[in-house]
Amino acid sequence: MPTLILVRHGRSTANTSGVLAGRTPGIALDERGTAQAAALPARLARLPLAAAVTSPLQRCRQTLRPLLDARPELPLHLDDRINECDYGDWSGRKLAELSGEPLMEVVQRHPSAAAFPGGESMRAMQARAVDAVHDWNARIEAAHGPDAAYLMCSHGDIIKALVAEALGLHLDLFQRISVEPCSVTAIRWTRLRPFLVRLGDTGDFGGLVPAPDATGSGDGGEAAVGGGAGAP
């Protein structure tokens, strides 16, 4: 079965301002995110891609623009099933403010039970994204053969949930996974099982330097809801 290349969108203005963007319109890449997107074609230059699939949100489409400009023959498909989690009433609020909400502890410790007010549950988020991947796996294999590779550009929590599913991890453990902006994660499917062959690869080890006040990462080791801003 095909190899899926998962790309998280580049760093956005919401990432750097500590806001949980969700599906709020008008969230664009910041200067660093634009540079990350510009570097993506060279990072993927040796990899033949059968198709690109993207979340419909602006920051994902901006991330793919340089790659599509470099590969005008690459077909692009929008799929709402890999859209950002619908955080409902939490969308657009500061993460520092949300950290005091009782629901945040559920999101951190027991995400399979978390449902955002006015939005969706994290279980529903994972289920729709997994359905999208299995659907696209079948479509790509039928059109291009089992050795094909294709790309999906999506969001931090979506990618973490897909990695958890591929590894056979319960959703309650997905907050242990981290994917930085514009990182590349690759999952190769076989008849028996998927293999995680890359996870959050940016080619930059700056993210391993301890930050004194990392956005979305407190003293208790909280995961960055929505994905975080990545290396400074």
Side-chain angles (χ1 to χ4, degrees):
M1 294 182 70
T3 297
L4 170 60
I5 309 301
L6 285 162
V7 176
R8 185 183 167 201
H9 62 77
R11 196 175 74 175
S12 73
T13 54
N15 294 145
T16 46
S17 60
V19 168
L20 185 62
R23 299 181 180 183
T24 305
I27 303 297
L29 300 183
D30 68 5
E31 185 176 353
R32 182 185 177 97
T34 300
Q36 290 170 333
L40 192 60
R43 293 172 61 198
L44 300 178
R46 296 177 59 191
L47 185 63
L49 295 171
V53 185
T54 185
S55 158
L57 294 187
Q58 177 181 345
R59 54 195 182 272
C60 287
R61 298 175 73 172
Q62 279 185 290
T63 299
L64 287 189
R65 176 47 50 197
L67 180 65
L68 296 171
D69 288 344
R71 302 193 192 194
E73 77 288 351
L74 185 65
L76 177 67
H77 307 272
L78 271 62
D79 194 325
D80 197 53
R81 294 173 296 178
I82 59 168
N83 201 344
E84 176 65 283
C85 183
D86 185 354
Y87 297 116
D89 298 343
W90 277 27
S91 301
R93 293 177 61 186
K94 288 280 191 179
L95 287 164
E97 172 190 332
L98 291 169
S99 65
E101 295 277 357
L103 177 60
M104 183 59 86
E105 185 172 7
V106 182
V107 171
Q108 293 291 333
R109 296 178 179 272
H110 190 22
S112 65
F116 296 98
E120 69 179 333
S121 70
M122 301 198 92
R123 285 186 295 108
M125 173 199 75
Q126 183 185 44
R128 62 174 165 82
V130 169
D131 285 347
V133 166
H134 290 308
D135 180 28
W136 279 103
N137 280 351
R139 292 171 65 174
I140 295 295
E141 182 174 13
H144 301 280
D147 297 325
Y150 70 105
L151 180 148
M152 276 188 174
C153 186
S154 189
H155 306 271
D157 280 350
I158 295 287
I159 294 172
K160 288 162 55 178
L162 289 171
V163 169
E165 195 269 344
L167 291 176
L169 295 178
H170 196 282
L171 184 61
D172 286 345
L173 301 178
F174 100 126
Q175 298 289 29
R176 302 183 182 196
I177 299 165
S178 176
V179 289
E180 291 200 8
C182 223
S183 62
V184 174
T185 294
I187 304 171
R188 180 173 297 136
W189 271 264
T190 70
R191 184 173 59 85
L192 296 180
R193 63 180 61 85
F195 290 91
L196 179 66
V197 293
R198 293 288 188 279
L199 176 61
D201 188 345
T202 63
D204 177 6
F205 290 98
L208 301 181
V209 178
D213 186 22
T215 301
S217 178
D219 293 339
E222 293 89 348
V225 180

